[in-house]
Amino acid sequence: MDNILVIGAAGQIGSELVVELRKQYGSEHVFATDIKLAPPDVIEGGPFQVLDVMDDKQLIHFIIRHKITQIYHLAAVLSGNAEKLPTQAWNINMDSLMNILEVAKMVEEVKKVFWPSSIAVFGPTTPRTNTPQLAVMEPVTVYGISKLAGERWCDYYFNKYGVDVRSIRYPGLISYKTEAGGGTTDYAVEIYYEAIRNGSYECFLTGNTSLPMLFMPDAIQATIQLMEAERSKLSIHSAYNLGGMSITPDQVYREILKEIPGFTISYNPDFRQAIADTWPESVDDSLAREDWGFKQHYDLEKMTGIMLKEIRNKLN
Ligand code: SER
């Protein structure tokens, strides 16, 4: 029987992943942790504990005590915030990953680790359309540098110590349950909230900035699918490209406009525009489809309907 530890359970991915994992593995087998309190359904739906992944002693104690066999380490400082506090962000993103890799190496019961990478591993010298799995990688953000270094460390621990780490280069993730914080792709979540709250949105990227995005249910399904895949089928030991849909703020705006007539948008690009300009517009994820059967179920139209409905419910 698997016992699963989720670190970052209060975050955008974690708060939804915990709920899904509990459906599949049983509530009592999924241990949700974070340094802050998680949403009520995460805290009440199974074990929840405040745990700091930076504290390696507390971490190893927790893992042994609860006989953990799988770890999802989702805690990180995102791209925009990392640019404001570069060394702190580097330390948090790297030290936390190293703590996890070391624990997975030392504790035999830990069989698998999931750690998210990002399209931020690419940079201005990478081909921007249909970016291949293997490409020039010269990220210019602290976040991207930490994710690229992290990928290399995952690969190293797999080759050198046999630690089974699995990873996805997530595109921007769009969800209604928990808002992301401090990312470059966050506009694609904010725009839905502001459309409902105010009927207008000021976007921090230009209208034609195309970035790959994925609706959270597709991301959660992909993550669990990758973790459940047979190791022998996985040709990538660092992180898989995942594309989703390539969309611009203008396209999201027009889709919302169909449901909220009178919704207006203005553009006031900030420092995050320079980050977005170095990331791919679209990503080739054929390996994820071939190796472990990734499928995308939501397009912009289908996602927009759900986003508006769920955010309306939430705000009422
Ligand atoms: N969505 C993240 C960000 O914008 C990228 O992984 O920082």
PDB file of all heavy atoms in Angstrom, residues 78-80 118 120 143 170-173 182-186 279, ligand 1:
ATOM      1  N   LEU A  78       7.765  31.138  -7.642  1.00  0.00           N
ATOM      2  CA  LEU A  78       7.531  31.234  -9.088  1.00  0.00           C
ATOM      3  C   LEU A  78       8.324  32.369  -9.744  1.00  0.00           C
ATOM      4  O   LEU A  78       8.981  33.169  -9.070  1.00  0.00           O
ATOM      5  CB  LEU A  78       6.039  31.386  -9.374  1.00  0.00           C
ATOM      6  CG  LEU A  78       5.160  30.175  -9.026  1.00  0.00           C
ATOM      7  CD1 LEU A  78       3.727  30.399  -9.495  1.00  0.00           C
ATOM      8  CD2 LEU A  78       5.702  28.894  -9.637  1.00  0.00           C
ATOM      9  N   SER A  79       8.214  32.433 -11.068  1.00  0.00           N
ATOM     10  CA  SER A  79       9.129  33.253 -11.881  1.00  0.00           C
ATOM     11  C   SER A  79       9.151  34.747 -11.529  1.00  0.00           C
ATOM     12  O   SER A  79      10.227  35.335 -11.398  1.00  0.00           O
ATOM     13  CB  SER A  79       8.791  33.087 -13.359  1.00  0.00           C
ATOM     14  OG  SER A  79       7.454  33.478 -13.604  1.00  0.00           O
ATOM     15  N   GLY A  80       7.977  35.348 -11.384  1.00  0.00           N
ATOM     16  CA  GLY A  80       7.936  36.790 -11.116  1.00  0.00           C
ATOM     17  C   GLY A  80       8.503  37.111  -9.747  1.00  0.00           C
ATOM     18  O   GLY A  80       9.343  38.003  -9.590  1.00  0.00           O
ATOM     19  N   SER A 118       9.337  23.308 -15.569  1.00  0.00           N
ATOM     20  CA  SER A 118       8.533  24.364 -16.180  1.00  0.00           C
ATOM     21  C   SER A 118       9.076  24.705 -17.565  1.00  0.00           C
ATOM     22  O   SER A 118      10.261  24.477 -17.856  1.00  0.00           O
ATOM     23  CB  SER A 118       8.617  25.607 -15.284  1.00  0.00           C
ATOM     24  OG  SER A 118       8.247  26.774 -15.981  1.00  0.00           O
ATOM     25  N   ALA A 120       9.850  27.398 -18.215  1.00  0.00           N
ATOM     26  CA  ALA A 120      10.845  28.437 -17.897  1.00  0.00           C
ATOM     27  C   ALA A 120      12.286  27.943 -18.040  1.00  0.00           C
ATOM     28  O   ALA A 120      13.213  28.738 -17.979  1.00  0.00           O
ATOM     29  CB  ALA A 120      10.627  28.953 -16.472  1.00  0.00           C
ATOM     30  N   TYR A 143      14.163  31.703 -11.671  1.00  0.00           N
ATOM     31  CA  TYR A 143      13.257  30.551 -11.624  1.00  0.00           C
ATOM     32  C   TYR A 143      13.665  29.512 -12.677  1.00  0.00           C
ATOM     33  O   TYR A 143      13.787  28.321 -12.380  1.00  0.00           O
ATOM     34  CB  TYR A 143      11.837  31.053 -11.874  1.00  0.00           C
ATOM     35  CG  TYR A 143      10.769  29.997 -11.896  1.00  0.00           C
ATOM     36  CD1 TYR A 143      10.370  29.367 -10.734  1.00  0.00           C
ATOM     37  CD2 TYR A 143      10.138  29.645 -13.087  1.00  0.00           C
ATOM     38  CE1 TYR A 143       9.366  28.410 -10.746  1.00  0.00           C
ATOM     39  CE2 TYR A 143       9.138  28.691 -13.115  1.00  0.00           C
ATOM     40  CZ  TYR A 143       8.758  28.080 -11.945  1.00  0.00           C
ATOM     41  OH  TYR A 143       7.756  27.129 -11.968  1.00  0.00           O
ATOM     42  N   TYR A 170       5.802  21.909 -16.842  1.00  0.00           N
ATOM     43  CA  TYR A 170       4.445  22.444 -16.958  1.00  0.00           C
ATOM     44  C   TYR A 170       4.447  23.737 -17.761  1.00  0.00           C
ATOM     45  O   TYR A 170       5.306  24.601 -17.566  1.00  0.00           O
ATOM     46  CB  TYR A 170       3.878  22.801 -15.590  1.00  0.00           C
ATOM     47  CG  TYR A 170       3.475  21.655 -14.694  1.00  0.00           C
ATOM     48  CD1 TYR A 170       3.972  21.582 -13.405  1.00  0.00           C
ATOM     49  CD2 TYR A 170       2.567  20.683 -15.103  1.00  0.00           C
ATOM     50  CE1 TYR A 170       3.592  20.560 -12.541  1.00  0.00           C
ATOM     51  CE2 TYR A 170       2.184  19.657 -14.252  1.00  0.00           C
ATOM     52  CZ  TYR A 170       2.700  19.607 -12.976  1.00  0.00           C
ATOM     53  OH  TYR A 170       2.326  18.607 -12.129  1.00  0.00           O
ATOM     54  N   PRO A 171       3.430  23.895 -18.600  1.00  0.00           N
ATOM     55  CA  PRO A 171       3.161  25.224 -19.168  1.00  0.00           C
ATOM     56  C   PRO A 171       2.442  26.041 -18.101  1.00  0.00           C
ATOM     57  O   PRO A 171       2.320  25.595 -16.965  1.00  0.00           O
ATOM     58  CB  PRO A 171       2.262  24.896 -20.357  1.00  0.00           C
ATOM     59  CG  PRO A 171       1.576  23.612 -19.999  1.00  0.00           C
ATOM     60  CD  PRO A 171       2.488  22.870 -19.029  1.00  0.00           C
ATOM     61  N   GLY A 172       1.933  27.211 -18.427  1.00  0.00           N
ATOM     62  CA  GLY A 172       1.139  27.972 -17.469  1.00  0.00           C
ATOM     63  C   GLY A 172      -0.081  27.148 -17.073  1.00  0.00           C
ATOM     64  O   GLY A 172      -0.718  26.541 -17.919  1.00  0.00           O
ATOM     65  N   LEU A 173      -0.403  27.127 -15.785  1.00  0.00           N
ATOM     66  CA  LEU A 173      -1.540  26.326 -15.333  1.00  0.00           C
ATOM     67  C   LEU A 173      -2.696  27.236 -14.930  1.00  0.00           C
ATOM     68  O   LEU A 173      -2.508  28.200 -14.190  1.00  0.00           O
ATOM     69  CB  LEU A 173      -1.128  25.432 -14.160  1.00  0.00           C
ATOM     70  CG  LEU A 173      -0.032  24.405 -14.490  1.00  0.00           C
ATOM     71  CD1 LEU A 173       0.316  23.569 -13.266  1.00  0.00           C
ATOM     72  CD2 LEU A 173      -0.439  23.498 -15.656  1.00  0.00           C
ATOM     73  N   GLY A 182       2.645  35.074  -8.047  1.00  0.00           N
ATOM     74  CA  GLY A 182       3.968  35.525  -8.479  1.00  0.00           C
ATOM     75  C   GLY A 182       4.507  34.893  -9.740  1.00  0.00           C
ATOM     76  O   GLY A 182       5.705  34.924  -9.999  1.00  0.00           O
ATOM     77  N   GLY A 183       3.620  34.317 -10.559  1.00  0.00           N
ATOM     78  CA  GLY A 183       4.078  33.732 -11.816  1.00  0.00           C
ATOM     79  C   GLY A 183       3.839  34.653 -12.999  1.00  0.00           C
ATOM     80  O   GLY A 183       3.091  35.632 -12.892  1.00  0.00           O
ATOM     81  N   THR A 184       4.455  34.322 -14.137  1.00  0.00           N
ATOM     82  CA  THR A 184       4.311  35.121 -15.350  1.00  0.00           C
ATOM     83  C   THR A 184       3.036  34.755 -16.100  1.00  0.00           C
ATOM     84  O   THR A 184       2.474  35.565 -16.824  1.00  0.00           O
ATOM     85  CB  THR A 184       5.550  34.905 -16.242  1.00  0.00           C
ATOM     86  OG1 THR A 184       6.689  35.316 -15.489  1.00  0.00           O
ATOM     87  CG2 THR A 184       5.476  35.692 -17.527  1.00  0.00           C
ATOM     88  N   THR A 185       2.572  33.531 -15.899  1.00  0.00           N
ATOM     89  CA  THR A 185       1.363  33.092 -16.599  1.00  0.00           C
ATOM     90  C   THR A 185       0.097  33.346 -15.771  1.00  0.00           C
ATOM     91  O   THR A 185      -1.001  32.992 -16.188  1.00  0.00           O
ATOM     92  CB  THR A 185       1.466  31.584 -16.940  1.00  0.00           C
ATOM     93  OG1 THR A 185       1.702  30.850 -15.735  1.00  0.00           O
ATOM     94  CG2 THR A 185       2.597  31.319 -17.917  1.00  0.00           C
ATOM     95  N   ASP A 186       0.257  33.979 -14.618  1.00  0.00           N
ATOM     96  CA  ASP A 186      -0.886  34.211 -13.715  1.00  0.00           C
ATOM     97  C   ASP A 186      -2.004  35.058 -14.333  1.00  0.00           C
ATOM     98  O   ASP A 186      -3.148  35.004 -13.863  1.00  0.00           O
ATOM     99  CB  ASP A 186      -0.444  34.952 -12.431  1.00  0.00           C
ATOM    100  CG  ASP A 186       0.453  34.108 -11.545  1.00  0.00           C
ATOM    101  OD1 ASP A 186       0.867  33.028 -11.983  1.00  0.00           O
ATOM    102  OD2 ASP A 186       0.750  34.551 -10.420  1.00  0.00           O
ATOM    103  N   TRP A 279      10.186  32.809 -23.229  1.00  0.00           N
ATOM    104  CA  TRP A 279       9.622  31.458 -23.104  1.00  0.00           C
ATOM    105  C   TRP A 279       9.009  31.004 -24.435  1.00  0.00           C
ATOM    106  O   TRP A 279       8.647  31.844 -25.262  1.00  0.00           O
ATOM    107  CB  TRP A 279       8.544  31.428 -22.008  1.00  0.00           C
ATOM    108  CG  TRP A 279       9.094  31.555 -20.622  1.00  0.00           C
ATOM    109  CD1 TRP A 279      10.414  31.615 -20.263  1.00  0.00           C
ATOM    110  CD2 TRP A 279       8.348  31.635 -19.398  1.00  0.00           C
ATOM    111  NE1 TRP A 279      10.526  31.721 -18.900  1.00  0.00           N
ATOM    112  CE2 TRP A 279       9.276  31.729 -18.335  1.00  0.00           C
ATOM    113  CE3 TRP A 279       6.988  31.619 -19.089  1.00  0.00           C
ATOM    114  CZ2 TRP A 279       8.890  31.817 -17.003  1.00  0.00           C
ATOM    115  CZ3 TRP A 279       6.599  31.713 -17.758  1.00  0.00           C
ATOM    116  CH2 TRP A 279       7.544  31.797 -16.730  1.00  0.00           C
TER     117      TRP A 279
HETATM  118  N1  SER B   1       3.661  29.356 -14.391  1.00  0.00           N
HETATM  119  C1  SER B   1       4.989  29.556 -13.903  1.00  0.00           C
HETATM  120  C2  SER B   1       5.316  30.990 -13.768  1.00  0.00           C
HETATM  121  O1  SER B   1       4.727  31.777 -14.461  1.00  0.00           O
HETATM  122  C3  SER B   1       5.957  28.927 -14.824  1.00  0.00           C
HETATM  123  O2  SER B   1       6.218  27.633 -14.465  1.00  0.00           O
HETATM  124  O3  SER B   1       6.171  31.312 -13.025  1.00  0.00           O
END
